[in-house]
Amino acid sequence: MPAFDLPPADLERHRPDITEPADFDAFWKSTLGEAAGAGDVLVSAEPVDNGLRLTETWDVTFRGFAGDPVRGWFSRPAGVREPLPAVVEFAGYGRGRGLPHERLTWVNAGYAHLLMDNRGQGDQYGCGGDTPDPHAVAPGGPGPVARGLLDPHDLHHRRLITDAVRAVDAVRALPGVDPSRVAAVGNSQGGGVALAVAGLVPDLAAVLATAPFLCGIRRALDLTDASPYGEITAYLAVHRGAEEAVHRTLSYVEGISFVRRAQAPAHFGVGLRDTVCPPSGAYAAFNRYAELTGGQEEKVLHAYPFNGHEGGDAVHVRRQLGWLRAVLGA
């Protein structure tokens, strides 16, 4: 697929205006406060046999949105007891936590690693998930991104982002973690969620986001029919006249609004031929990152002109490893 978004020079200057709700901060303060009031974040952490000799893994359950139980895999290098910096990883759209031996990069690099399950997802690819979404009853399309589109309080990604913030609290409560050195990491939906966490957790140590979803949402809906954005346009194709309500709802999970409030050092990756999450969204988030908090000098973006949604793939992961090691002093 040839490049279809803005030319590279325009992407580097792309700082779109957004329609930010006046109660954006109050909305998220209330949402996170309700989740925190549901009780201690950590419910259980049970050791599991992962079939590996060099990695120890625990099956973790923590309280997410509304106190709902959310599952995750917590792994550490075997035999290491001193507190380690931690990476909290968020999976892509339609994917669950899978099996504990699937994601070993970060633990092999010497980090404690928590992979959060995606509530109500996990059925599209990978090895499944274990976290239901008991609130998925609001009007919307069949896919998670279209659930609750008419009211921000009902929106699926309100719950998912709340889970992600609570995942940071959970990893800090687990043994052998240095709570001052926690990074949020993700690709695609996971990248968008990681950026939301960066805007909602003021003492996050770092964020790494590749091909982030939910950034520059209005423009993305005009550019692509690929899923997940295509699920929103498919909903609007049936529910004619719902555009205003849908755009208002989505404005509460717009990544640009989150990143304006972030202050952690940030590492971005983007493929310039990405038709799933158009590159203008990643650039918009990068260019407006930390503009309200003054941390803009601590950010870097790697662009891959001939790649799509896979971005730089393993080459980019190698860059992530080197960058995070420098930032966290690990």
Side-chain angles (χ1 to χ4, degrees):
M1 174 66 68
F4 77 107
D5 206 335
L6 296 170
D10 291 342
L11 287 172
E12 291 175 3
R13 298 188 296 266
H14 187 52
R15 297 173 62 90
D17 293 330
I18 56 170
T19 302
E20 188 173 292
D23 65 339
F24 181 88
D25 292 312
F27 176 87
W28 282 104
K29 181 179 180 180
S30 173
T31 297
L32 297 179
E34 291 174 7
D40 292 340
V41 64
L42 195 60
V43 176
S44 63
E46 302 294 334
V48 297
D49 181 1
N50 59 20
L52 306 172
R53 294 180 59 192
L54 304 180
T55 300
E56 298 173 327
T57 300
W58 289 259
D59 185 349
V60 168
T61 301
F62 65 91
R63 290 185 175 89
F65 176 86
D68 299 336
V70 179
R71 305 287 290 278
W73 296 123
F74 176 63
S75 297
R76 289 173 44 90
V80 178
R81 294 292 172 258
E82 66 266 24
L84 295 173
V87 167
V88 181
E89 184 174 3
F90 307 110
Y93 186 73
R95 186 183 185 102
R97 65 172 181 166
L99 299 173
H101 61 268
E102 290 186 77
R103 305 287 185 100
L104 297 176
T105 298
W106 295 107
V107 69
N108 280 340
Y111 299 94
H113 177 239
L114 178 64
L115 175 63
M116 186 187 85
D117 204 11
N118 284 330
R119 67 163 60 219
Q121 299 188 29
D123 298 320
Q124 294 188 23
Y125 68 102
C127 291
D130 299 293
T131 304
D133 185 1
H135 308 276
V137 294
V145 71
R147 294 174 189 159
L149 274 174
L150 298 181
D151 189 319
H153 293 89
D154 297 331
L155 190 64
H156 171 84
H157 278 79
R158 177 197 183 210
R159 301 188 290 277
L160 189 69
I161 290 168
T162 303
D163 293 346
V165 171
R166 296 291 280 164
V168 173
D169 296 334
V171 83
R172 286 172 165 165
L174 287 163
V177 168
D178 179 350
S180 69
R181 293 189 292 167
V182 176
V185 176
N187 300 325
S188 192
Q189 175 185 260
V193 170
L195 292 177
V197 169
L200 294 171
V201 180
D203 59 347
L204 194 71
V207 59
L208 301 93
T210 309
F213 180 48
L214 296 177
C215 293
I217 298 172
R218 279 184 179 247
R219 177 174 172 81
L221 291 174
D222 289 338
L223 286 177
T224 182
D225 284 329
S227 179
Y229 287 115
E231 296 176 31
I232 299 172
T233 57
Y235 176 86
L236 290 172
V238 174
H239 299 275
R240 302 165 184 87
E243 294 93 335
E244 183 177 350
V246 168
H247 284 310
R248 177 181 178 273
T249 294
L250 292 172
S251 69
Y252 286 89
V253 294
E254 169 59 65
I256 298 171
S257 292
F258 288 120
V259 301
R260 294 180 67 228
R261 294 157 168 79
Q263 50 191 318
H267 188 281
F268 285 75
V270 59
L272 298 191
R273 299 177 181 234
D274 188 346
T275 59
V276 176
C277 294
S280 54
Y283 273 91
F286 178 77
N287 290 334
R288 300 194 65 176
Y289 188 88
E291 67 181 7
L292 299 181
T293 57
Q296 297 181 68
E297 72 282 356
E298 298 184 69
K299 62 180 183 178
V300 61
L301 181 147
H302 294 283
Y304 302 92
F306 298 97
N307 289 99
H309 196 54
E310 79 282 4
D313 214 353
V315 170
H316 187 66
V317 172
R318 184 169 59 188
R319 286 173 166 165
Q320 288 180 317
L321 289 167
W323 182 85
L324 190 60
R325 182 169 61 246
V327 169
L328 295 189

